[in-house]
Amino acid sequence: MEDEDGLDGEWVHWLLDAARARLGMDIAWVSVFTEGRQLITSAVGDLAGMNVREGMSAPLEGSYCVRVLSGQLPPVVTGAARDPRTRDLGITAELGIGSYVGAPVRDADHRPVGMLCCLSREAGSHLDGDSARTVELLADLISDHLRNGPPGAARDLAARRARVREFLASGAVVTHLQPVVDMTSGVVVGHEALSRFPGWTGPGVAGLFSEAAAVGLGVELELLALRAALDVADGLSAPLPVAVNLSPEALLADPVLHLLLEPRDHPLAVEITEHSRIDDYDAVLVATTRLRERGIGVSVDDAGAGYASLRHILRLRPDVIKLDIGLVMGVHTDLARQAMTSAMVAFAGETGARLVAEGVEDEAERDALLGRGVRFGQGYLFGRPRPAEEVLV
């Protein structure tokens, strides 16, 4: 018998098993979100082998799910134990995650109320954009199934929204900066602004962005983070560009665009991630044209992570293309990654874009990238994100 959310029945189990088998993964589950936690309502595969069981509840903080929803992770993670975005997360070791694919389950208002996840103990070099689209399609089927049943997970929406609004009113945000360097010399050529929220008592940064988006306050949170980042940029003494991350939805919001277009002396750039959905490219192009007229550069993040990134590049013609960490990690030993890197170098050269490699962690990767023509890099090899007041520029 199904529960009130209709997510533990035979049909859902069959769909999960189809997803797991299609992608060659060890397990698959569907979960629903409650206040700061996710409940696994259905799961299939070698559950014991990955320490998972139906009915299991875990904090959203530290999970892959909230990072995917907030744009801090792409929907496909091919090497979780090597990727610095996931390798130090407790959940990676607890479940023995080698690879991951996830897509949100949404309610009638298109807000995420749960997640369909496929996981494996092994790295997933075979996983790609098609894998993400497969899981997204099946998640949409489950979403339709959920909408046709009685409401469950979204009943506390008003309370969740009030909690996020209360935090937004406090304005508690700290901006960290991570350097982008010229890998030939190690000289810093710019910074990426990353938000931290010390006053948030729920799930971490990714969890807050996800929760805000889920309750319809995502743009408001991005605007708060943007104001803090711009204050930091205006206070820097050296004229190095600062890149701010914005979703397409936020970029199209009048308060955000007007704030970006205000006169200022410090150079800026806007990063649009590969896994941020764009429904209206024409509107985004109008916005990016206005940014460029003010001297604000446009970046596409996570290039090489999937088909969507290539579509973003072709449609948006960015000034900066940032190579996804999944392409960078292990590039010195992987011929396929080297070939893709060379192709991106050629494309950037033909279009006049600057290529920046993300997630560079060791000298061998740096040297391989330089050998393929990638001059600029970002990653722990060159510097971790630090509070802005600690950055000497």
Side-chain angles (χ1 to χ4, degrees):
M1 179 177 177
E2 292 190 0
D3 69 3
E4 67 172 5
D5 292 311
L7 294 179
D8 68 348
E10 181 179 349
W11 178 82
V12 174
H13 280 90
W14 174 84
L15 205 64
L16 289 174
D17 207 44
R20 182 192 62 80
R22 174 69 177 82
L23 271 59
M25 307 293 272
D26 289 327
I27 67 172
W29 78 54
V30 64
S31 64
V32 294
F33 301 151
T34 58
E35 183 69 29
R37 301 185 71 81
Q38 65 170 328
L39 172 67
I40 297 177
T41 58
S42 297
V44 299
D46 183 14
L47 304 182
M50 294 195 73
N51 302 314
V52 172
R53 66 183 185 281
E54 288 188 344
M56 177 177 174
S57 176
L60 279 171
E61 182 175 5
S63 73
Y64 287 27
C65 296
V66 294
R67 285 165 170 77
V68 171
L69 291 172
S70 65
Q72 296 190 359
L73 274 182
V76 177
V77 177
T78 58
R82 171 64 176 82
D83 192 327
R85 296 173 296 188
T86 55
R87 68 181 179 196
D88 296 328
L89 295 178
I91 196 69
T92 301
E94 290 169 17
L95 303 188
I97 302 173
S99 53
Y100 166 95
V101 185
V105 174
R106 301 181 183 275
D107 65 10
D109 294 322
H110 206 63
R111 294 169 178 153
V113 295
M115 204 82 173
L116 193 165
C117 303
C118 296
L119 303 91
S120 181
R121 291 183 291 268
E122 302 297 326
S125 59
H126 64 289
L127 300 172
D128 55 16
D130 286 338
S131 306
R133 286 189 289 278
T134 295
V135 173
E136 183 178 355
L137 173 62
L138 297 179
D140 285 345
L141 291 175
I142 292 177
S143 298
D144 290 340
H145 179 69
L146 176 63
R147 292 166 195 153
N148 291 329
R155 285 178 174 172
D156 60 349
L157 181 61
R160 292 163 58 195
R161 185 180 177 88
R163 185 179 181 218
V164 174
R165 277 203 178 281
E166 182 179 1
F167 175 78
L168 291 174
S170 74
V173 56
V174 175
T175 300
H176 286 207
L177 298 175
Q178 185 175 28
V180 177
V181 306
D182 183 334
M183 294 191 294
T184 63
S185 62
V187 173
V188 176
V189 297
H191 293 91
E192 179 178 356
L194 301 166
S195 298
R196 301 292 184 263
F197 303 99
W200 176 248
T201 58
V205 173
L208 176 56
F209 275 107
S210 174
E211 182 71 356
V215 300
L217 296 172
V219 171
E220 286 84 347
L221 179 60
E222 291 190 64
L223 182 58
L224 176 68
L226 175 62
R227 286 198 178 103
L230 294 180
D231 286 343
V232 165
D234 290 340
L236 297 178
S237 58
L240 299 178
V242 173
V244 295
N245 292 279
L246 287 173
S247 69
E249 181 184 10
L251 181 60
L252 295 178
D254 286 341
V256 172
L257 190 58
H258 291 162
L259 182 60
L260 286 170
L261 294 175
E262 287 180 359
R264 55 178 37 88
D265 296 328
H266 203 91
L268 296 176
V270 171
E271 289 191 15
I272 304 173
T273 63
E274 177 271 340
H275 35 276
S276 296
R277 176 176 174 177
I278 295 182
D279 294 315
D280 188 347
Y281 271 103
D282 290 338
V284 172
L285 286 170
V286 170
T288 56
T289 296
R290 295 184 66 187
L291 293 179
R292 287 190 173 105
E293 289 172 349
R294 287 294 182 90
I296 300 174
V298 176
S299 301
V300 167
D301 207 2
D302 299 334
Y307 168 75
S309 68
L310 300 179
R311 182 177 56 198
H312 281 9
I313 291 169
L314 291 173
R315 296 295 300 272
L316 300 179
R317 301 299 173 93
D319 306 292
V320 176
I321 299 172
K322 303 189 78 173
L323 291 180
D324 181 64
I325 188 173
L327 185 60
V328 170
M329 63 180 185
V331 65
H332 56 295
T333 61
D334 190 303
L335 293 177
R337 284 182 169 86
Q338 292 169 18
M340 178 63 77
T341 298
S342 295
M344 294 302 299
V345 168
F347 179 86
E350 290 285 340
T351 59
R354 173 183 286 190
L355 203 60
V356 177
E358 293 187 289
V360 183
E361 290 220 344
D362 58 51
E363 294 179 354
E365 290 173 346
R366 178 200 62 194
D367 293 344
L369 290 163
L370 284 170
R372 293 278 163 173
V374 182
R375 180 175 175 179
F376 301 97
Q378 180 179 353
Y380 287 179
L381 180 63
F382 312 116
R384 293 171 179 261
R386 292 188 295 156
E389 60 269 19
E390 297 180 10
V391 177
L392 300 177
V393 295

